[in-house]
Amino acid sequence: GHDSTANTLCWFVRYMEAHPSIQTELRAALKTAFFASEDPSVVLPSAAQILQADMPYLDGACEEGVRLAGTAKANLRQALVDTHILGCPVPKGAEIFMNYHINRSLPPATAVPVVDEAKRSKTSRAAGEKRGDALSRGVAGRDLGSFQPRRWIVVDEMAGKESFNAYSLPSLAFGGGYRGCFGRKLAMMEFKIVVVLLMLSFEFLSLPEEFKSMAATEKIFREPDFPYVKLRGL
């Protein structure tokens, strides 16, 4: 899976260039977590330190990078029984193309994609109620086309503590169920390690206007057409 991880990292550095304030906030959080001792002998954290650290903002940034990158754009599944999806009949044996890439911007903050709830199955409606309909409340479902790590963070007002919530938004970046990607944990470990080392080693500077495009080409993976960076060593 190194090619898919590399592709997602390519998108991540593009988002860092496009959102300098988020880049600054993430780097500041990393420095606070790993360089609090001011020990001059510490150059970069080890892989073990990175994976053991409790950093909601880092987790949110990585999750947001995976979500927006849409590296594995979609998948095919075959219906095992006759069924319906939003009122549309799906016969047994039909192949269903499922889009995993959810990033379109929504209208006002509380708006959600227009779906007739009556057409959803009972199990779908029950799952939505259990999840709390994250898309319809709070910051999680706002402006899905933008890079916002804090949509994955919840705050305990009483304790004043932030925590990462992996269920803030529905996610199928790694598939799901019996056919979910068995390399998911390894991929996210690799992704987090490289993100931390890149953020602490380089500043991603603003690119010339002709290279700022987020245009992509759909191949096996969704690849950026302008995978360029301008770096300053830290």
Side-chain angles (χ1 to χ4, degrees):
H2 67 277
D3 46 355
S4 54
T5 303
N7 187 81
T8 307
L9 282 164
C10 194
W11 280 110
F12 188 87
V13 297
R14 291 292 295 109
Y15 299 136
M16 289 297 96
E17 183 273 339
H19 300 85
S21 62
I22 292 176
Q23 179 184 168
T24 299
E25 185 174 4
L26 175 56
R27 186 175 294 108
L30 295 176
K31 288 182 176 180
T32 298
F34 296 118
F35 302 143
S37 65
E38 300 294 336
D39 184 348
S41 65
V42 177
V43 180
L44 289 172
S46 67
Q49 288 175 312
I50 293 171
L51 296 177
Q52 292 168 5
D54 180 15
M55 297 191 60
Y57 197 80
L58 171 62
D59 291 330
C62 289
E63 194 69 36
E64 192 72 340
V66 170
R67 180 186 72 85
L68 272 179
T71 295
K73 178 70 174 180
N75 213 326
L76 288 172
R77 291 292 183 264
Q78 189 176 60
L80 299 180
V81 297
D82 292 335
T83 186
H84 288 77
I85 298 178
L86 296 180
C88 299
V90 179
K92 178 181 178 180
E95 291 192 334
I96 305 167
F97 182 82
M98 298 187 296
N99 182 10
Y100 291 167
H101 191 203
I102 304 173
N103 75 339
R104 75 186 182 98
S105 297
L106 297 176
T110 56
V112 296
V114 179
V115 174
D116 184 354
E117 292 298 317
K119 292 182 178 180
R120 294 190 188 276
S121 67
K122 291 182 179 179
T123 53
S124 175
R125 291 197 295 270
E129 292 171 2
K130 182 178 180 180
R131 188 175 62 242
D133 292 324
L135 284 173
S136 65
R137 61 184 177 82
V139 300
R142 296 180 187 174
D143 193 12
L144 292 178
S146 66
F147 191 95
Q148 297 182 23
R150 292 201 171 276
R151 72 172 82 246
W152 300 95
I153 296 175
V154 294
V155 181
D156 184 334
E157 299 292 348
M158 296 294 292
K161 180 178 175 59
E162 295 183 341
S163 60
F164 171 67
N165 178 17
Y167 302 100
S168 289
L169 287 176
S171 175
L172 282 174
F174 291 91
Y178 293 115
R179 294 183 180 273
C181 176
F182 59 83
R184 175 174 187 164
K185 187 172 182 179
L186 174 61
M188 290 307 295
M189 288 169 61
E190 293 175 336
F191 189 65
K192 183 182 292 189
I193 291 169
V194 178
V195 163
V196 170
L197 298 180
L198 285 174
M199 295 299 297
L200 292 176
S201 300
F202 303 102
E203 178 182 2
F204 299 96
L205 305 176
S206 180
L207 290 168
E209 288 299 322
E210 61 267 27
F211 296 127
K212 285 181 174 289
S213 172
M214 292 290 182
T217 297
E218 301 286 352
K219 298 180 181 179
I220 294 179
F221 298 126
R222 179 176 174 271
E223 302 177 2
D225 291 340
F226 296 89
Y228 307 119
V229 292
K230 183 177 180 181
L231 303 174
R232 183 177 72 86
L234 300 175

